[in-house]
Amino acid sequence: MSRTDFTRYLPILDWGRRYDRTALTGDLIAAVIVTIMLIPQSLAYALLAGLPPEAGLYASIAPILLYAVFGTSRALAVGPVAVVSLMTAAAVGQVAEQGTAGYAVAALTLAVLSGGILLLLGVLRMGFIANFLSHPVISGFITASGILIAISQVKHILGVEASGHTLVEIGTSLLAGLPQTDMTTLAIGVAATGFLFWVRKGMKPALIRLGLGARPADIATKAGPVLAVIVTTLLVWGLDLSEQGVAIVGAVPQSLPPLTMPAFSPDLVSALLVPALLISVIGFVESISVAQTLAAKKRQRIDPNQELIGLGAANIGAGFTGGYPVTGGFARSVVNFDAGAETPAAGAFTALGLAIAALALTPLIFFLPKATLAATIIVAVLSLVDFGVLKRAWGYSKADFGAVAATIVLTLGFGVEIGVSAGVILSVLLHLWKTSRPHVAEVGLVPGTQHFRNILRHRVETDPAVLTIRIDESLYFANARFLEDYILNRVAEDRALRHVVLMCSAVNAIDLSALESLEALNERLGDLDIRLHLSEVKGPVTDRLTRTHFLDALTGEVFLSQYDAWASLTGGSQGPGPVPVAGR
Amino acid sequence: MSRTDFTRYLPILDWGRRYDRTALTGDLIAAVIVTIMLIPQSLAYALLAGLPPEAGLYASIAPILLYAVFGTSRALAVGPVAVVSLMTAAAVGQVAEQGTAGYAVAALTLAVLSGGILLLLGVLRMGFIANFLSHPVISGFITASGILIAISQVKHILGVEASGHTLVEIGTSLLAGLPQTDMTTLAIGVAATGFLFWVRKGMKPALIRLGLGARPADIATKAGPVLAVIVTTLLVWGLDLSEQGVAIVGAVPQSLPPLTMPAFSPDLVSALLVPALLISVIGFVESISVAQTLAAKKRQRIDPNQELIGLGAANIGAGFTGGYPVTGGFARSVVNFDAGAETPAAGAFTALGLAIAALALTPLIFFLPKATLAATIIVAVLSLVDFGVLKRAWGYSKADFGAVAATIVLTLGFGVEIGVSAGVILSVLLHLWKTSRPHVAEVGLVPGTQHFRNILRHRVETDPAVLTIRIDESLYFANARFLEDYILNRVAEDRALRHVVLMCSAVNAIDLSALESLEALNERLGDLDIRLHLSEVKGPVTDRLTRTHFLDALTGEVFLSQYDAWASLTGGSQGPGPVPVAGR
């Protein structure tokens, strides 16, 4: 393996050699800010995933380090994120009961499977599969997930039991639990939620009005959730509220991330494989978007396939160190970037900070109410909910609107896995459907020019013996028959026709199905004594066609330009004669 | 409902009013020839489907009549065909044991389900779904099915028991049975197969050499299988071979098609729904190809959606009259057409002929050896096997080759349902993959002209401050990110750049995902102080873009032609200035 190969697969060799004091300062400051932000967030997302709070801390340590070694983004912060935590809860909930040892082990397995899939896709350089998730599907999925996440946390605010993976399941479960609402918990939850909303919207302007600089005000805002954690923990401890029914985090082991062993029984693996695939792809899409946005600001490059390897390593790391599936998070990465992170070393320092927290600070969160963590989640995810995309899609294209609406409805109604799968399938089908009925125009000569335009929209010259069809789409299996049917129906009742010209200026490719359709068309038109011609065929398409017998069998000719075709077939001009492609 | 609507849904009202003596003569002659050909074929295909022989006759009677009323093809002959019979055996074999009453009932249910699906697709005007079966997938599937069918019939030639739905299953089952081979059966089977191959290849020239005219020789050739049936039946009867172990057809009820009632238990329906869908689509594709080919020769029109209704009615009819799934067959339709069928009435007369056969002739086939029927099938299906498509696809496109090869291998290895489903999914994925990495060229001005060409292939003028990219594909979700990545990577290390122009002459559509990618690109390039421009945007694409805020946010301009863009951005010409699209 050459030096370049090493650098490609281990980007750390590239930036590591050039590491200096300026970079160190930037990285250290960023790490402190991100660590403070991540402590409550990691605990909260673990809760959302149905795991003990320490799993969230553990999932932030090894994965950050591994991503720092293998990833290409300078600022991406890897760890538990809301949507992946929800998907983890949905997937693991199908194979084990929440709170059991089997549940935690299944989460480890899920992380390793996701990591394996990401790694495999990266090594096979198959980053393009993320493209199959269209933006409408992603937007719809994120919005619906945000709603599901928020509503799933309401139980902690109310202090009741509830479960489920769809809007109806969670809703009915919450309604059933409503009479058992714990008023003290509710008070803490509502107060924390209200405070955190204020932190997000009103705190920074308020601090600035109080004379604080913009940057310290910004950092204080990031620390808002930590403040909520400290105040409510002290409150529960001081007033002994846990004795009165307020659910608390309780004992969290003081430990570095443990070495853990996922289970790989065939039953478990086969049950988790599809969820792992969905988590990998969704996580990758979320991560690469963030990485690309941040990299572009500094003219840095992101290699999608190397990103797959970085995220794969991070997830495998999570699976062997007590974590669960992770990915690059939007909020934390932006904070990391804005705080001045220069290299992935910032991530390593963050990991160090979180390790210290896991080792030393966990006794301090014994009395932390779960309602506070739920409030953190609710406030974070509601910013993901954006119904504006529905209006936007409606205005732009009904097909895109259909994809968004279906993804939202199906995710809310049937859960994350069915929602996102159906969204992907639907957007592929809609695309095939749209291109299976391409725009086809009958064109004629604009008098006095060499341009050809749609006969329905312009006053153009035509010839009863010559039919010219412009196809505004590549020809492939989904529309091959359409063209065949269209032309055969068009010629069926037109006995004056002697020539059909296909104007191929917008045909970027012709696949084998379309080629066979053209051959059939050529033959059938030949039976009717009509010659088939092509014009304005693109270079790559011509290259491919010349490798077949189609051009030999073609009853007509291949014209360089539509005007050549018109001039030759109608005799209406003294332009250059036909140039059969075989002669070029 | 108006008169025209009636005619659309009941094509019989159209041709029925104009029926005359000439048409009657043509139809009658065709019916006699097709009836003679269909008797052995119907019995044989029933055997292939795992049903009693009379089911093949019944499946040819009501369906032909119903298609004559609802179908649009003048020459299509509907009934049992090889591939659909094989698919029926595979589907019904999963829910019932061959030879039981449950098996026959499940076949009826399958026919009604297929019919219902076809009818629904027709009423919803969704004929386009047949387009999702690419030609390579169809070719591969037909070839592999032909092999599976032929090998599944070898047991009748050997006179042994064997079963299975994949190459390996049938093969091992046959090998296990080999020691029990019945030599008399083998002799009959081999002789019949050899004779039928000779009928297909050598009989017509031989008869012509003997002084027979071409047309009588042709008809005699069609009657070849009947001759094999008569000779082997007489042989078995005369020599009492059934006593010596030669398997015979045995007692077949003398009856018109019975009224039968399919079962619709939820379990059965849900088990058969996917197979029914596959059978519908495969059957429809086979049928519409034949219908279209024959119609084109006489400048007649085929309405694909009305064809769905015709085939739907035929299948529902088959389900209530003791048959099983049917479709328009290639061989019989061509014979019908060549024999001079003028209208669907030819089909009605054929149905009459077969009804007479079912009522009167069944005792005559008591001693007909199953080996003869197997020989009929083997000879018929081996003509479907065409490995040439592999070579052809390889030469044209590796993606198409992949689709053919995978379909063949998966059909042989895992059976018809997995084979065709995987083929469809694979060809869709390959299409998405191909269009997800569109051809993108950096272009420059050909000196002395207004043409722009690929800088890698031509000597062209460029400007270090202006990058012009031509995209040879519509922009949609599968390639939106590709373009974004491509351009951001391209500009990452080029600090002289001030303008990026996207030349959109080959962009037939831009979906919402691609629009959002363009917006992100515009913003990110803006951060780098680079303006984004578009040129040669097509009318329909412009229409859509003007409904959004994209053109307002665009840092650059929209130029009518690439030359306008060049002239304006480089100041290299006195051409017409930029024309922002908003001003049009």
Side-chain angles (χ1 to χ4, degrees), chain A residues 128 135 292-293 299 392 395-397 400 433 472 485 491 508 510 512-513 516 519 524 544 547, chain B residues 128 135 292-293 299 392 395-397 400 433 472 485 491 506 508 510 512-513 516 519 524 544 547:
Chain A
F128 70 87
H135 290 212
Q292 190 65 271
T293 305
R299 286 188 185 246
R392 193 173 146 77
Y396 190 67
S397 128
D400 284 314
W433 180 73
D472 288 346
D485 290 349
V491 305
N508 297 310
I510 293 182
L512 189 59
S513 299
E516 292 181 352
E519 287 173 339
R524 289 171 190 183
R544 224 170 251 278
R547 297 213 303 265
Chain B
F128 70 87
H135 291 212
Q292 190 67 270
T293 306
R299 287 189 187 244
R392 190 173 148 77
Y396 189 69
S397 131
D400 283 315
W433 180 72
D472 289 346
D485 290 350
V491 305
N508 297 310
I510 293 182
L512 189 60
S513 299
E516 291 181 354
E519 287 172 340
R524 289 172 191 183
R544 225 170 250 278
R547 298 213 301 264

Side-chain angles (χ1 to χ4, degrees), chain A residues 181-214:
Chain A
T181 301
D182 181 82
M183 286 303 157
T184 325
T185 307
L186 183 63
I188 295 174
V190 168
T193 310
F195 172 72
L196 290 172
F197 265 117
W198 176 76
V199 164
R200 195 167 271 256
K201 305 278 177 193
M203 186 170 169
K204 194 173 155 188
L207 289 176
I208 291 174
R209 271 197 307 276
L210 289 174
L212 213 61

Side-chain angles (χ1 to χ4, degrees), chain A residues 9 132 172 190 226 272 491 497 500:
Chain A
Y9 287 112
F132 296 170
T172 49
V190 168
V226 174
L272 293 178
V491 305
L497 267 189
V500 170

